[in-house]
């Protein structure tokens, strides 16, 4: 399908395609099996300037839109969702600085992140605050020129691997979500430690850890935006990042369809390739159609954001929920087409199915996405 990409956009896709084919596919099963963070591939992605995409040129980025980030993320996800997640999570981590940071913060941190030398991570979720993001309990208390952080963040992607963390903490717990603030915390700050790497169902090569703050003192100039704006910063960040989760679903599903199609064309039963059977052909047709529908919605949402459209929560949530549900279905169907072999680790389909599940959970469960869509629909109409 022709999406009328510019020369620059086609180049981004081609670079990612080369990384996927040459660097990711040969090692993805091993990385998954051994839960090894893909540092070398992340370095390749950095060398290819892909972390520069969404960062403005004045901070050593390429100043492209979310659309280009989605193109890159989709293609990397076709190879491996752990790699794509590690890449996209750095974007999620620096978005609060980009959206609400001041000039000094942008000058200090964005060039490092643009080069790929440093990764970022987004610290919102806590043991008692997942979907209910306003219920975070980590506290930040102002003492002289420092905020002192105490609390624990849970399931933080790139935890331990990233150098720069955007952390949400309560500066005025009495005010609920209006009492939350956002901060930049650097790895290595005294009082900031990590839990063990989590042992996960899927995206096993990506790093997921607890962030533990124990009287962690950070300079007060590390606050992003104003005191009490943290919840808003988090919501605006998620509105912009969710289409990239959608693009992870599109890429992952595309990878699964490619594997299933290739297998169906060589696997013989009843003296014929299974791709000649209508039962299989209809599955393949549905998979391809669903992928293309999701891709259209993701691209549309990304372009709406890039065009400066203000009211993007609904569209952004729609792209995430549709593409991730689609990816779960398509990867499950891919396993089915492979039959018994699909259940075995020697083929990539089972890993893709395990990986897909997280897309329906992270960056807001799909139940929360439906809440966001419905609330907006009821308030504003269609
Ligand atoms: N953009 C701008 N403002 C927003 C907003 C958005 N997307 N979403 C909410 N707000 C504002 C509301 O307008 C409201 O403002 P006022 O206090 O001025 O009225 C305020 O923020 C509180 O909003 P609301 O009452 O809707 O908050 P809730 O506590 O009910 O929670 C949801 C809203 C469920 C949408 C939010 O908690 C959420 O997104 N949860 C999922 C979090 C998530 O994605 N976690 C994954 C971890 S990060 S990987």
């Amino acid at each position: 399908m022709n999406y009328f990409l510019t020369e620059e956009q086609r180049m981004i896709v081609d670079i990612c395609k080369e990384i996927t084919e040459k660097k990711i596919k040969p090692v993805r099963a091993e990385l998954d099996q051994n839960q090894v963070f893909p540092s070398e591939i992340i370095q390749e992605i950095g060398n290819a300037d892909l972390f520069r995409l969404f960062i403005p040129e004045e901070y050593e980025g390429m100043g492209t839109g979310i659309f280009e980030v989605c193109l890159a993320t989709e293609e990397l996800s076709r190879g491996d969702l752990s790699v794509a997640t590690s890449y996209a999570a750095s974007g999620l981590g620096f978005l609060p600085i980009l959206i609400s940071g001041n000039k000094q913060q942008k000058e200090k941190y964005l060039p490092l992140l643009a080069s790929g030398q440093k990764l970022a991570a987004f610290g919102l979720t806590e043991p008692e605050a997942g979907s209910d993001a306003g219920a975070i309990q980590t506290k930040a208390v102002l003492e002289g020129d420092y905020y002192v952080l105490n609390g624990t963040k849970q399931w933080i992607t790139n935890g331990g691997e990233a150098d720069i963390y955007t952390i949400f903490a309560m500066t005025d717990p009495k005010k609920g979500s209006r009492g939350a603030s956002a901060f930049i915390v650097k790895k290595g700050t005294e009082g900031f430690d990590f839990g063990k790497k989590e042992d996960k169902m899927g995206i096993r090569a990506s790093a997921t850890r607890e962030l533990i703050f124990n009287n962690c003192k950070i300079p007060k100039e590390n606050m992003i935006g104003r005191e009490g704006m943290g919840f808003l910063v988090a919501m605006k960040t998620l509105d912009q990042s969710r289409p990239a989760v959608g693009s992870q679903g599109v890429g992952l599903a595309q990878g699964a369809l490619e594997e299933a199609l290739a297998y169906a064309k060589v696997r013989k039963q009843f003296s014929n390739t299974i791709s000649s059977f209508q039962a299989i052909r209809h599955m393949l047709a549905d998979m391809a159609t669903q992928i293309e529908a999701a891709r259209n919605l993701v691209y549309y949402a990304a372009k709406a954001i890039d065009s400066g459209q203000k009211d993007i929560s609904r569209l952004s949530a729609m792209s995430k929920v549709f593409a991730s549900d689609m990816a779960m279905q398509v990867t499950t169907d891919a396993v089915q087409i492979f039959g018994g072999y699909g259940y075995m680790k020697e083929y990539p389909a089972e890993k893709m199915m395990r990986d897909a599940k997280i897309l329906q959970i992270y960056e807001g469960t799909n139940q929360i996405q439906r809440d966001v869509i419905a609330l907006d629909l009821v308030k504003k109409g269609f």
Side-chain angles (χ1 to χ4, degrees), residues 223-265:
M223 177 178 278
I224 303 171
R226 290 194 313 278
E227 208 172 273
M229 275 181 61
F231 187 76
L232 212 60
V233 173
M235 292 300 113
K236 283 184 177 170
T237 296
L238 291 165
D239 278 348
Q240 295 214 12
S241 71
R242 283 175 180 152
V245 181
S247 69
Q248 290 177 28
V250 174
L252 176 64
Q254 174 82 36
L257 173 61
E258 286 170 10
E259 297 291 341
L261 184 59
Y263 180 78
K265 284 161 82 172

Side-chain angles (χ1 to χ4, degrees), residues 122 124-125 130-131 133 178 231-232 235 238-239 242 313 363-364 368 372:
F122 182 79
L124 176 64
T125 302
S131 294
R178 283 172 176 234
F231 187 76
L232 212 60
M235 292 300 113
L238 291 165
D239 278 348
R242 283 175 180 152
S313 302
E363 287 192 42
I368 287 291
V372 170

Side-chain angles (χ1 to χ4, degrees), residues 295-334:
R295 182 176 280 127
N296 273 275
L297 186 52
V298 168
Y299 287 5
Y300 181 67
K303 287 191 169 189
I305 296 172
D306 291 341
S307 71
Q309 191 176 310
K310 289 280 170 277
D311 234 357
I312 50 158
S313 302
R314 183 197 307 189
L315 196 50
S316 171
M318 282 176 166
S319 70
K320 193 268 185 189
V321 75
F322 187 80
S324 58
D325 282 350
M326 176 282 294
M328 192 71 250
Q329 185 60 51
V330 166
T331 54
T332 306
D333 287 348

